[in-house]
C-alpha cells in the first residue's frame, strides 16, 4: 500500500496499531519466526524481562512463556514492531503509528508486512489497537494474488 493511502490510518491518538494473522497453523507461525530471525539481534527477545535466545519454534516460545512474559522487538526501519506471544494460534504484533509517518518509514514497514504475508502465506491485517474487527489495511500473500489474476 502506498503511503498516500496509508497515511489516514497513521494518525496519532496515543494508541498502537495491531497486526494480526488469525487462525494460523504451527507451520505458519514457525514461518513467522524464520522470516524475522535474520532481522533480530541479541537482546531483541526477552523472557521474563531477561535477554534470552529466541526458541526454534513458536510452540517452544509459547511453552517457555507460560510463566513469564515474552516480548520480541523486531527492528523495522528506524523503530520496532513488537510481538508479545499472546496466543498459540493468532499472531499479534503492534507498532507505534507515529514511528512510520513518513513515506520512507511507511515503505519499510509496508515492505515488512508484505514480506510477512508472503512468508506465512496468509492474510495480514493492520487494525486499530485491540480491535481485530476494525481492519484498516490488508496484505495478501503475493503468490495468492498472482494466482487469482491468472484465474480471472
Amino acid at each position: 500500500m502506498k503511503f498516500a493511502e496509508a497515511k489516514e490510518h497513521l494518525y496519532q491518538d496515543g494508541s498502537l496499531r495491531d497486526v494480526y494473522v488469525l487462525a494460523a497453523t504451527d507451520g505458519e507461525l514457525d514461518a513467522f519466526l524464520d522470516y524475522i530471525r535474520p532481522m533480530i539481534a541479541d537482546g531483541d527477545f526477552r523472557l521474563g524481562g531477561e535477554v534470552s535466545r529466541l526458541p526454534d519454534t513458536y510452540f517452544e516460545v509459547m511453552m517457555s512463556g507460560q510463566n513469564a512474559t515474552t516480548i520480541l522487538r523486531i527492528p523495522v526501519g528506524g523503530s520496532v514492531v513488537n510481538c508479545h506471544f499472546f496466543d498459540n494460534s493468532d499472531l499479534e504484533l503492534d507498532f507505534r503509528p507515529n514511528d512510520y509517518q513518513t513515506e520512507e518509514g511507511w515503505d519499510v514497514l509496508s515492505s515488512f508486512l508484505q514480506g510477512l504475508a508472503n512468508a506465512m502465506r496468509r492474510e495480514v491485517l493492520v487494525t486499530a489497537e485491540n480491535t481485530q474487527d476494525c481492519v484498516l489495511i490488508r496484505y495478501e500473500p503475493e503468490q495468492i494474488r498472482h494466482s487469482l489474476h491468472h484465474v480471472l
Side-chain angles (χ1 to χ4, degrees):
M1 172 177 275
K2 299 290 183 201
F3 178 68
E5 300 168 69
K7 194 164 125 176
E8 70 179 283
H9 304 299
L10 299 173
Y11 51 88
Q12 295 182 39
D13 61 358
S15 68
L16 301 172
R17 298 300 174 271
D18 287 338
V19 176
Y20 290 102
V21 178
L22 302 173
T25 66
D26 289 344
E28 291 164 344
L29 293 166
D30 289 345
F32 157 70
L33 293 180
D34 292 342
Y35 174 65
I36 57 89
R37 203 174 297 279
M39 301 173 196
I40 63 172
D42 292 340
D44 287 339
F45 179 69
R46 293 183 173 266
L47 177 62
E50 300 294 321
V51 172
S52 185
R53 183 188 72 78
L54 181 63
D56 294 329
T57 68
Y58 198 90
F59 177 77
E60 290 174 300
V61 174
M62 294 302 296
M63 294 304 293
S64 64
Q66 282 184 329
N67 298 315
T69 57
T70 54
I71 187 167
L72 174 62
R73 296 171 45 89
I74 307 161
V76 178
S79 191
V80 296
V81 173
N82 297 300
C83 181
H84 300 279
F85 302 96
F86 292 132
D87 191 288
N88 64 356
S89 65
D90 294 340
L91 176 65
E92 181 179 347
L93 311 172
D94 63 41
F95 66 91
R96 292 173 6 132
N98 53 321
D99 290 343
Y100 298 99
Q101 286 194 329
T102 65
E103 186 167 357
E104 297 79 21
W106 173 254
D107 287 348
V108 172
L109 178 62
S110 185
S111 178
F112 168 80
L113 295 172
Q114 184 62 61
L116 178 61
N118 295 344
M120 293 183 74
R121 296 185 178 134
R122 293 294 309 274
E123 180 180 59
V124 172
L125 308 174
V126 178
T127 72
E129 187 174 19
N130 297 321
T131 325
Q132 288 180 11
D133 58 344
C134 182
V135 177
L136 306 172
I137 302 167
R138 293 176 192 272
Y139 288 87
E140 294 288 339
E142 288 180 344
Q143 62 273 18
I144 290 175
R145 247 191 320 188
H146 289 138
S147 63
L148 287 176
H149 290 297
H150 292 293
V151 171
L152 302 174

